[in-house]
Amino acid sequence: MALRRRPGLRLRAWLPDFFLLLLCRAFLVRVEKTQTRVYLKPCATLLPWWPSAGCLIGAVNLKSSNRNPVVQEFESVELSCIIMDSQTNDPRIEWKKIQDEQTTYVFFDNKIQGDLAGRAELLGKTSLKIWNVTRKDSALYRCEVVARNDRKEIDEIVIELTVQVKPVTPVCRVPKAVPVGKSAVLHCQESEGYPRPHYSWYRNNMPLPTDSRAHPRFRNSSFLLNSETGTLVFSAVHKEDSGRYSCIASNDAGLAKCEEQEMEVYDLNIGGIIGGVLVVLAVLALITVGICCAYRRGYFINDKQNGESYKSPGQPDGANYIRTEEEGDFRHKSSFVI
């Protein structure tokens, strides 16, 4: 027995796809457009055998004009959330903030919640606008829509907001004086900018390359610049490295520069150093000789015998004598004990 083909199948085989798409859209019963959403009443009952024609729309559908907005600090930004397809006239809208693995409400129960209260509003019934954004507003924001009259009732979209912060004046450390041939390290640091800034060094208002060997102008220098950490390292300084140094920290939000600082590279006087050492040794030798001569002449011996009592070797026990001013003159102090 031969199988009977459905009329719709024969129609699909005969007509090209673009003609069937036009035919489906011709049977749309209602199209209602608003500022942020479009409602389409499906014609699935007319062409149920062709789901790819886009006629089966009975589900809420969201999109965003920008899922990764980037804004500078203290400016305003719009988080776009647009309802494309829905049969529900008044769906429920919720916005949530996801930051540091914590989820908090931003818009709930038809009002702004949390730290955005007073500087945010719902724009066009679904999108969210934030004024005076700060670096703490950088996070993931999730727009959730619940449409009770749709076949698919819930849809959501996640938007990542990035707030850029201009760098502040970096802290620069430059050595004041370095001898020729010695190493030197210059530091430049900034901690407020976002994204993390890149660093560049200048000598006498002239930019320095990351590697002195790669630039013929600095062939007499030997330094490496790390643009991520802001360090400028000289393996061995030369006289040509003397000058005024400054550093600039920059990112997409702006730049900041520290004040110029002078670094002097001086020659090391070997002869002067040797002469100074010899002078010190000569002074130490003279001091030693003087001390020895004074000791031999008795300047460091104290005469402690004048006026002190002593006992003659031949004296019997129990008698003490005191030396008088005249040598050999003794005076009896106590009587003998018999």
Side-chain angles (χ1 to χ4, degrees):
M1 181 176 64
L3 296 177
R4 296 182 59 186
R5 293 185 179 181
R6 296 174 59 183
L9 294 178
R10 289 197 302 269
L11 181 60
R12 187 180 183 186
W14 292 346
L15 299 178
D17 288 347
F18 74 91
F19 182 76
L20 290 177
L21 179 60
L22 294 177
L23 182 61
C24 172
R25 292 185 176 180
F27 284 95
L28 290 177
V29 179
R30 180 170 61 92
V31 176
E32 179 184 355
K33 294 183 178 180
T34 64
Q35 182 180 0
T36 58
R37 48 184 156 178
V38 178
Y39 297 104
L40 300 178
K41 189 172 182 179
C43 56
T45 55
L46 301 175
L47 297 175
W49 38 265
W50 191 26
S52 63
C55 294
L56 298 178
I57 303 178
V60 61
N61 183 26
L62 301 179
K63 82 166 188 177
S64 176
S65 60
N66 186 5
R67 290 200 177 193
N68 302 101
V70 179
V71 64
Q72 294 189 15
E73 194 174 26
F74 308 124
E75 293 183 351
S76 61
V77 64
E78 178 183 346
L79 307 184
S80 173
C81 179
I82 304 173
I83 301 178
M84 295 301 299
D85 306 317
S86 178
Q87 291 182 331
T88 303
N89 293 328
D90 190 19
R92 190 180 72 191
I93 311 297
E94 292 181 1
W95 277 92
K96 296 177 182 178
K97 180 180 180 180
I98 306 171
Q99 188 178 54
D100 298 331
E101 298 182 354
Q102 295 183 355
T103 302
T104 57
Y105 279 106
V106 173
F107 181 80
F108 178 73
D109 197 17
N110 293 324
K111 62 181 179 180
I112 302 295
Q113 307 281 341
D115 57 354
L116 291 182
R119 58 187 185 96
E121 68 172 355
L122 210 61
L123 185 64
K125 297 184 179 180
T126 50
S127 296
L128 183 69
K129 186 171 184 178
I130 306 175
W131 293 285
N132 195 27
V133 295
T134 66
R135 66 195 68 189
K136 295 182 180 180
D137 295 330
S138 293
L140 297 176
Y141 292 84
R142 187 168 64 209
C143 174
E144 300 178 0
V145 175
V146 179
R148 298 299 183 185
N149 297 333
D150 290 11
R151 184 175 302 175
K152 175 190 172 185
E153 296 184 354
I154 302 175
D155 196 16
E156 63 183 33
I157 191 171
V158 178
I159 299 173
E160 182 178 5
L161 173 62
T162 301
V163 179
Q164 296 179 341
V165 181
K166 180 181 177 180
V168 298
T169 302
V171 177
C172 299
R173 299 196 302 273
V174 179
K176 295 183 179 299
V178 183
V180 172
K182 296 296 183 179
S183 62
V185 181
L186 284 67
H187 299 273
C188 180
Q189 294 181 341
E190 194 279 337
S191 58
E192 296 293 329
Y194 185 84
R196 294 188 53 146
H198 287 77
Y199 301 94
S200 54
W201 277 96
Y202 291 77
R203 183 173 66 200
N204 300 328
N205 295 323
M206 182 178 298
L208 300 179
T210 56
D211 190 348
S212 60
R213 296 170 298 180
H215 201 288
R217 188 183 185 93
F218 302 94
R219 65 182 64 181
N220 294 328
S221 298
S222 58
F223 61 81
L224 292 174
L225 168 61
N226 190 328
S227 61
E228 300 293 332
T229 61
T231 55
L232 179 63
V233 181
F234 290 87
S235 58
V237 296
H238 300 78
K239 291 290 291 184
E240 295 80 4
D241 295 326
S242 296
R244 302 184 308 275
Y245 286 83
S246 60
C247 172
I248 291 181
S250 60
N251 61 11
D252 294 337
L255 55 86
K257 179 181 179 181
C258 69
E259 295 183 358
E260 291 183 339
Q261 299 183 33
E262 185 81 20
M263 185 179 77
E264 178 187 0
V265 179
Y266 61 91
D267 292 322
L268 197 61
N269 191 353
I270 304 298
I273 294 176
I274 295 176
V277 172
L278 293 177
V279 170
V280 172
L281 292 177
V283 172
L284 292 177
L286 290 175
I287 293 174
T288 303
V289 171
I291 292 175
C292 291
C293 293
Y295 185 79
R296 289 179 179 180
R297 292 183 180 182
Y299 289 105
F300 298 102
I301 299 176
N302 295 327
D303 188 6
K304 299 181 180 180
Q305 296 181 353
N306 293 331
E308 293 183 356
S309 64
Y310 69 95
K311 179 181 178 181
S312 298
Q315 292 177 350
D317 295 338
N320 293 331
Y321 295 87
I322 299 178
R323 185 193 299 263
T324 62
E325 294 181 357
E326 297 181 359
E327 186 68 23
D329 185 13
F330 295 92
R331 181 168 54 89
H332 185 266
K333 181 179 179 181
S334 60
S335 60
F336 291 98
V337 180
I338 302 177

